[in-house]
Amino acid sequence: MNVAEEDIIKKLVQGDRESFDYIYTCYVNNLYAYGKGFGLSDDELYDVLHDLFLSLLSNTKIFEGVRNIKSFLFTCFKNRLLNVLKIPYEYSDIEQCEHLFVVEVDLLDELIDREQAAMRVQIVKSLLNTLTDRQREAIYLRYMQKLSYDEIADMLGLTQKGARKLVARGIEHMREEATSSVILLFLVIFPPDWI
C-alpha cells in the first residue's frame, strides 16, 4: 500500500466525504465494466453500485484494516452481485462456485482497419469463451483491471499460487486454441485455389 492510499483510507474511516467522492470517481467505471461480465442489465448494475456506495458511505468504519481500496471495492461489489444473482459462493470447493462471467472485449484502436479489428474481437471472444467462467474472470481481473495475484486470490478464495495457476492455465488454453483458430482464420481470409 502506498502512502497516498494509506492516507485516503484513514480519511475514509473518519468519514471524509471528499475522499469518498474520490474513490467513487476513480472506481465506479471499472466496477461497472466488471459487473457487465455477470450479465446484469444496466439498471441492475447501477442499483447494485449505488447500493454498495451508499452502504460504504453510511458505514465508513468498514474501511478499517483495508490494505488496497481497489481490491476491497471489487470484492464488496462481487459479493453484492452474487447476492443479486442469488448464487451461493462457497470457498471450500472451487468447482461449486463457478458462475457465469462473460467478458466483452472492446478494441477501440482507430489506426486498425474496422474489419481487422472486428476479426480480432471475434477471435479473442471465441478464445475467452473456451475458458471456464473462473479462468475468464481471473484473466479479466489480471489483465483488464490490473489486479495483483494476491488481490485475485482474495477475490476468488484461492491462494496466490492458485490464482497464478488459474491465470496461467487459462492463457495456456487460449494459446493452444489460438493456434488452430489462426489457421482457420487464415484459410477463411485466404482460401486456397482448390476450395
Side-chain angles (χ1 to χ4, degrees):
M1 170 171 31
N2 62 42
V3 176
E5 188 168 27
E6 194 174 302
D7 193 38
I8 290 170
I9 292 170
K10 284 179 185 173
K11 288 180 180 178
L12 287 168
V13 171
Q14 296 168 356
D16 181 55
R17 182 60 190 252
E18 210 171 286
S19 296
F20 187 82
D21 292 344
Y22 173 77
I23 66 163
Y24 179 86
T25 304
C26 285
Y27 297 109
V28 73
N29 290 334
N30 287 334
L31 291 168
Y32 174 83
Y34 177 61
K36 288 297 279 183
F38 287 87
L40 293 173
S41 71
D42 289 345
D43 289 338
E44 289 171 316
L45 279 174
Y46 291 130
D47 286 346
V48 175
L49 278 167
H50 290 132
D51 181 47
L52 169 67
F53 280 100
L54 283 174
S55 172
L56 295 173
L57 183 61
S58 65
N59 182 15
T60 57
K61 298 296 180 200
I62 198 167
F63 289 102
E64 288 178 354
V66 170
R67 295 180 318 221
N68 183 294
I69 295 171
K70 184 174 186 177
S71 179
F72 173 76
L73 291 174
F74 270 78
T75 301
C76 291
F77 186 55
K78 180 179 180 178
N79 288 338
R80 289 193 182 255
L81 289 171
L82 294 177
N83 285 339
V84 167
L85 294 169
K86 302 200 179 355
I87 296 174
Y89 197 81
E90 301 290 328
Y91 288 106
S92 59
D93 186 1
I94 290 174
E95 296 304 315
Q96 287 180 356
C97 64
E98 291 285 330
H99 55 274
L100 179 63
F101 185 79
V102 180
V103 175
E104 286 294 321
V105 178
D106 293 326
L107 294 177
L108 300 175
D109 188 359
E110 296 175 4
L111 301 175
I112 298 173
D113 179 53
R114 288 183 188 213
E115 288 179 26
Q116 289 176 339
M119 281 191 289
R120 287 183 181 150
V121 168
Q122 284 308 112
I123 290 170
V124 172
K125 278 184 180 181
S126 68
L127 290 174
L128 286 170
N129 285 333
T130 65
L131 302 176
T132 66
D133 294 333
R134 202 151 167 87
Q135 287 171 330
R136 194 171 26 254
E137 182 178 8
I139 287 173
Y140 174 84
L141 292 170
R142 178 70 180 148
Y143 294 104
M144 294 181 184
Q145 291 302 324
K146 309 266 189 264
L147 293 183
S148 71
Y149 287 109
D150 285 330
E151 294 164 339
I152 294 168
D154 286 344
M155 284 189 67
L156 300 181
L158 302 169
T159 62
Q160 182 198 40
K161 184 178 178 181
R164 285 182 183 277
K165 223 183 244 188
L166 187 63
V167 170
R169 285 185 180 156
I171 290 171
E172 181 59 31
H173 182 76
M174 288 192 331
R175 277 193 190 121
E176 291 168 2
E177 291 291 321
T179 304
S180 59
S181 295
V182 169
I183 291 169
L184 286 174
L185 180 63
F186 184 77
L187 288 174
V188 168
I189 296 172
F190 305 105
D193 295 334
W194 47 267
I195 293 183

